[in-house]
């Protein structure tokens, strides 16, 4: 008898979240990958929190990479390896498991990047893979009726980018992505407080 594992992945510039049906959020880790540049091609040696903790404690050939920058996939091969690693960590490796994965992607990704994300999930033993753009996932997550014949504007503020979209009749009518988001807000607040208190 087959049993199904349903997984949701939110690819973020700063953090990646992995949700498993019946368990909730099981991974909330930095979107960081440690890569050994001595290897040809470069080899991924750690992902997520483990990769972040390696920063400054490894040989010079191992560097920490953020494969998503400003809300877009900067390095889709490393992004694919990061996705595959997270899926493998959250699934039971049995011959009868049927893994279904829904991946939330930035709205500005290209078809090549979209295919890389899809292929990464398939390579990690996912039987079914679906991709959803961040504004649509946010709309569904807050309970909006995305199929209604009316426009709803979504502003999804992440770490590296802010996704803005108008959703109607089950689709995105118009969208844009700007490179001002949580990381910039945090930096601006810190600078303001330093100036006010002469820190």
């Amino acid at each position: 008898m087959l049993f199904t594992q349903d997984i949701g992945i939110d690819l973020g510039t700063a953090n990646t979240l992995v949700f498993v049906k019946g368990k909730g959020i099981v991974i909330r880790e930095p979107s960081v990958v440690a890569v050994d540049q001595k290897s040809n091609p470069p080899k991924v040696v750690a992902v997520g929190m483990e990769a972040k903790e390696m920063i400054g404690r490894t040989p010079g050939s191992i560097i920490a990479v953020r494969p998503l920058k400003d809300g877009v996939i900067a390095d889709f091969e490393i992004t694919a390896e990061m996705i595959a690693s997270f899926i493998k960590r959250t699934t039971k490796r049995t011959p009868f498991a049927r893994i279904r994965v829904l991946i939330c992607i930035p709205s500005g990704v290209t078809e090549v990047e979209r295919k890389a994300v899809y292929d990464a999930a398939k390579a990690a033993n996912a039987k079914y893979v679906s991709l959803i753009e961040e504004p649509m996932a946010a709309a569904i997550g807050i309970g909006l009726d995305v199929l209604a014949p009316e426009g709803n504007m979504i502003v999804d503020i992440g770490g590296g980018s802010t996704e803005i979209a108008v959703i109607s009749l089950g689709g995105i009518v118009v969208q844009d992505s700007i490179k001002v988001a949580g990381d910039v807000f945090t930096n601006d607040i810190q600078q303001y407080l330093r100036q006010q208190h002469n820190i």
Side-chain angles (χ1 to χ4, degrees):
M1 181 178 152
L2 291 174
F3 80 96
T4 303
Q5 292 178 278
D6 292 329
I7 302 168
I9 300 175
D10 179 13
L11 283 179
T13 303
N15 294 295
T16 294
L17 278 68
V18 181
F19 173 92
V20 176
K21 187 175 181 181
K23 295 182 181 176
I25 295 172
V26 295
I27 293 177
R28 184 190 306 260
E29 294 192 11
S31 300
V32 178
V33 178
V35 179
D36 187 351
Q37 293 187 308
K38 278 198 299 190
S39 303
N40 190 13
K43 180 185 172 190
V44 171
V45 292
V47 172
M49 189 61 74
E50 185 185 352
K52 188 176 183 183
E53 288 172 354
M54 291 174 86
I55 296 172
R57 301 177 185 173
T58 59
S61 64
I62 297 177
I63 61 162
V65 176
R66 284 192 177 270
L68 292 103
K69 289 191 176 105
D70 299 326
V72 296
I73 296 171
D75 188 322
F76 57 79
E77 288 175 7
I78 292 179
T79 300
E81 295 219 31
M82 182 176 75
I83 291 167
S85 173
F86 285 141
I87 291 173
K88 285 173 185 167
R89 279 165 52 185
T90 55
T91 57
K92 293 174 182 163
R93 307 292 286 178
T94 67
F96 303 110
R98 187 173 61 179
I99 301 165
R100 298 188 300 189
V101 181
L102 174 68
I103 302 176
C104 187
I105 56 173
S107 59
V109 299
T110 65
E111 282 305 314
V112 172
E113 292 167 338
R114 185 181 286 266
K115 185 174 183 331
V117 169
Y118 179 88
D119 290 347
K122 291 295 273 186
N125 208 29
K127 182 77 173 164
Y128 302 102
V129 179
S130 298
L131 305 179
I132 184 171
E133 292 177 318
E134 287 175 2
M136 181 63 79
I140 294 168
I142 62 169
L144 275 181
D145 181 3
V146 296
L147 300 174
E150 58 187 28
N152 287 293
M153 182 184 222
I154 298 293
V155 180
D156 180 10
I157 303 171
S161 69
T162 299
E163 306 272 340
I164 305 159
V166 174
I167 293 170
S168 181
L169 294 169
I172 294 177
V173 179
V174 64
Q175 65 186 17
D176 199 3
S177 179
I178 58 173
K179 310 301 181 210
V180 177
D183 292 344
V184 174
F185 297 160
T186 300
N187 188 49
D188 287 350
I189 291 167
Q190 288 172 342
Q191 283 187 349
Y192 174 79
L193 290 173
R194 283 190 196 107
Q195 289 170 355
Q196 292 298 310
H197 302 286
N198 296 318
I199 299 173

